[in-house]
Amino acid sequence: KEVIRLEHIGKSYYIGKQEVPVLTDINLVIAKGDFVSIMGPSGAGKSTLMNILGCLDRPTRGSYILNGKEVANQTDDELAYTRNREIGFVFQSFNLLPKLSALDNVILPMIYGNVFRNERVERATKMLEMVGLGNRINHMPAEMSGGQRQRVAIARALVNDPSIIMADEPTGNLDSKSTREVMEIFSHLYSMGKTIILVTHEDDVASYASRHVILSDGHISQDFRGALS
Ligand code: ADP
Ligand code: ADP
């Protein structure tokens, strides 16, 4: 079953009337439960592609079918709704709210849903236990290491049970031990059948993925399974 289908996706920026193409003719199908790394040199268009995949931005042309539904032409409100239902985000800089505990950061995405307070606490606690932070649910972000903060962010990304996890350089601010801990969580999520899309420029991080998509100059230059050469 496919969760993502991009057909002839293009994205351009305009400087006055001058078109600056950033993505040209991207074609990509991602199956449910796949773990895909997106790699490529700086400026290749990885962030632009992630913004489109994550429904944060619309393509200039082409079709994006997400879980059977065309989203390329959705309005901002529709995109926001799609994004909140379908996608969990993990960022390089964690993006936790500093004045909220780990538990309250994880609860936050549930306040827009129809979930009662008791169940919110229960689900958030379960997610924090899953990322190995069951004993730190009341810690504030400033009391935690980078690796711990990123694991809180992963718990937050998962709490509404999205079909896809998108992570943009999730280990970019972490030491090697925390990087391993975080990537082992992604491996665990993969084994549980989550679809994961990971942008990284580190081969040892990308090697946790089962499929590798290489972008260069705004198009996919390689797309393969198995080990990175
Ligand atoms: P990557 O994430 O692979 O480093 P990006 O997607 O950030 O690449 O950028 C790809 C290209 O698009 C770069 O040349 C960048 O300068 C350009 N670009 C990105 N965002 C904008 C923008 N808002 N306006 C104009 N050009 C942009
Ligand atoms: P991890 O288990 O995520 O690798 P570390 O070994 O880096 O964590 O950190 C051990 C402990 O030190 C953490 O439980 C945390 O409470 C504390 N700690 C680490 N880094 C920081 C930091 N930058 N600010 C506050 N506390 C920290």
Side-chain angles (χ1 to χ4, degrees), residues 134-209:
N135 57 347
R136 287 192 168 75
I137 65 171
N138 293 316
H139 277 49
M140 303 303 283
E143 298 171 315
M144 289 186 274
S145 70
Q148 292 169 339
R149 286 182 219 185
Q150 192 59 300
R151 286 187 275 148
V152 173
I154 294 171
R156 179 185 57 186
L158 289 167
V159 80
N160 281 333
D161 198 24
S163 56
I164 306 166
I165 307 291
M166 293 193 186
D168 195 349
E169 299 280 5
T171 59
N173 284 327
L174 303 182
D175 62 24
S176 57
K177 174 172 167 277
S178 300
T179 292
R180 262 197 316 280
E181 287 168 358
V182 160
M183 292 317 298
E184 271 155 27
I185 292 169
F186 284 116
S187 285
H188 175 64
L189 295 173
Y190 173 53
S191 72
M192 293 189 346
K194 283 282 180 199
T195 308
I196 304 168
I197 304 177
L198 164 75
V199 168
T200 182
H201 61 267
E202 297 172 81
D203 282 3
D204 56 336
V205 170
S207 67
Y208 284 86

Side-chain angles (χ1 to χ4, degrees), residues 32-129:
K32 183 171 160 50
D34 213 347
F35 187 172
V36 182
S37 79
I38 297 180
M39 302 187 77
S42 181
K46 302 183 296 295
S47 299
T48 304
L49 178 59
M50 280 302 259
N51 286 344
I52 291 170
L53 287 171
C55 298
L56 296 158
D57 199 0
R58 272 182 296 265
T60 309
R61 59 185 70 87
S63 162
Y64 175 12
I65 299 191
L66 173 57
N67 284 322
K69 207 165 167 192
E70 178 61 70
V71 297
N73 303 313
Q74 286 191 343
T75 65
D76 285 353
D77 283 352
E78 289 168 335
L79 277 184
Y81 180 77
T82 301
R83 188 163 69 231
N84 290 336
R85 284 171 51 106
E86 308 283 0
I87 303 165
F89 292 96
V90 178
F91 305 94
Q92 175 169 1
S93 50
F94 322 136
N95 293 6
L96 300 179
L97 292 185
K99 294 196 172 155
L100 296 184
S101 67
L103 185 68
D104 284 331
N105 267 285
V106 177
I107 283 173
L108 208 55
M110 286 187 280
I111 64 176
Y112 301 107
N114 293 318
V115 189
F116 288 113
R117 173 80 199 169
N118 283 351
E119 197 194 331
R120 286 183 211 156
V121 172
E122 205 174 293
R123 265 161 66 175
T125 303
K126 213 175 100 199
M127 289 300 138
L128 284 164
E129 283 168 355

